[in-house]
Amino acid sequence: MSKMHFFSWDDRRDIAHPGNNKETLNFSIEHFINCAKEALKMHGHFAVALSGGSTPKAIFQALSQAPYSSAIDWSKAYIFWSDERSVAPTDPDSNFRMAIDAGFKNLPIPNDHFFRMKAEDSIEENALNYEMKIKQVLGSRPFDLIMLGMGEDGHTASLFPGTKALEEKNRWIVANHIPQKETWRMTMTYPLINKAKNIVIYVLGKNKRDMVHKVFLEDHNPPFPVSLIGTPTNKALWILDTDACGDLHKKQK
């Protein structure tokens, strides 16, 4: 077992470096379950926004198997998404489909506790509807956990560099045009993400190391979208494996 490194980077961000890929995945799974247990103990339900990507997929696969499949009362989980591509829920690129196929279909969660982002048509209208649904289900409570990743360009959720959603100050969910991908996506915005009880950014793999170092060790104007996640009130937890972290823990402030 590698030595676990956990440190506060600044007033908005903490970093957990559990070790190699497997150790980091195991830590991420345990952290998810602990967030759920805390939420269930505090207010009787667990509201989570899922992310796409290979690391969340591996987490979802593990959650649907013993011992995690019986670790919490899944019937009290409310499942949302942090972003979605403009594709049908049956499409292989759908974040919804990935999560369901990876394991959520095997967990005892009521069907009406799944809240899919309908981004395949009428995306602006459906973004408004999704925001209303969050307010209806959660009331005044923030999300217990919002899962995020980081692209090699520094995007997170579907908050891409240079896109309009980065400027949103009030709306929680928006339709965001991504010129660099010639598409639209539905995404959570900073005002919603940054009020979550737990904000987690999973970054694993050597291909992410350069961007991790740019985010934490360099000044960029404008900052990368992922750099604006986390506040002094609600810190973001970055979970990094050794390949992505490099020697960052030796350079902590």
Side-chain angles (χ1 to χ4, degrees):
M1 179 72 182
S2 301
K3 184 182 178 183
M4 169 77 179
H5 293 279
F6 185 93
F7 51 97
S8 176
W9 184 263
D10 55 26
D11 66 343
R12 301 185 301 108
R13 297 172 293 187
D14 293 328
I15 294 175
H17 171 213
N20 64 25
N21 181 281
K22 183 178 180 182
E23 290 161 340
T24 303
L25 272 177
N26 288 340
F27 175 86
S28 300
I29 296 158
E30 293 284 351
H31 181 268
F32 184 106
I33 292 293
N34 287 338
C35 288
K37 286 180 176 177
E38 181 185 16
L40 291 167
K41 183 179 178 182
M42 293 297 290
H43 47 256
H45 72 260
F46 172 53
V48 58
L50 308 182
S51 170
S54 57
T55 299
K57 182 177 182 179
I59 294 172
F60 304 157
Q61 289 169 336
L63 291 173
S64 66
Q65 301 169 32
Y68 304 109
S69 55
S70 58
I72 64 165
D73 184 352
W74 287 100
S75 71
K76 294 177 179 175
Y78 293 91
I79 311 298
F80 292 82
W81 273 261
S82 57
D83 75 313
E84 185 57 276
R85 297 174 170 92
S86 52
V87 296
T90 52
D91 193 287
D93 288 335
S94 163
N95 287 340
F96 170 81
R97 177 179 172 175
M98 184 277 280
I100 299 301
D101 288 353
F104 275 92
K105 65 184 178 186
N106 299 321
L107 289 168
I109 301 172
N111 285 338
D112 62 356
H113 284 199
F114 287 98
F115 302 96
R116 177 177 81 82
M117 282 182 163
K118 297 175 182 175
E120 67 270 27
D121 56 39
S122 306
I123 189 168
E124 292 176 313
E125 180 185 347
N126 283 329
L128 276 169
N129 292 339
Y130 203 71
E131 183 170 323
M132 288 167 55
K133 179 58 71 174
I134 291 170
K135 292 175 179 177
Q136 178 189 332
V137 175
L138 270 60
S140 60
R141 293 193 189 282
F143 274 93
D144 298 302
L145 172 63
I146 292 181
M147 303 176 73
L148 299 169
M150 181 194 74
E152 291 178 44
D153 60 353
H155 85 266
T156 190
S158 279
L159 299 169
F160 281 79
T163 57
K164 192 175 177 183
L166 302 179
E167 303 165 15
E168 183 57 53
K169 298 290 190 292
N170 299 305
R171 290 277 305 280
W172 288 0
I173 306 290
V174 296
N176 195 25
H177 184 240
I178 321 292
Q180 51 268 56
K181 292 191 174 290
E182 298 181 346
T183 190
W184 285 80
R185 291 191 182 181
M186 193 181 296
T187 188
M188 289 185 167
T189 61
Y190 295 124
L192 178 59
I193 293 169
N194 280 335
K195 63 185 270 185
K197 180 80 165 60
N198 294 280
I199 311 163
V200 183
I201 303 168
Y202 310 92
V203 187
L204 284 71
K206 200 169 284 185
N207 61 319
K208 303 290 179 73
R209 184 185 296 183
D210 284 349
M211 183 52 69
V212 166
H213 280 221
K214 285 178 182 177
V215 166
F216 285 98
L217 299 174
E218 299 177 8
D219 289 325
H220 289 265
N221 189 19
F224 298 107
V226 74
S227 300
L228 299 177
I229 301 294
T231 70
T233 311
N234 297 75
K235 295 181 80 172
L237 174 64
W238 287 68
I239 300 179
L240 308 173
D241 72 350
T242 298
D243 282 342
C245 189
D247 59 357
L248 192 63
H249 58 281
K250 296 176 183 176
K251 299 178 180 180
Q252 66 192 86
K253 296 177 181 178

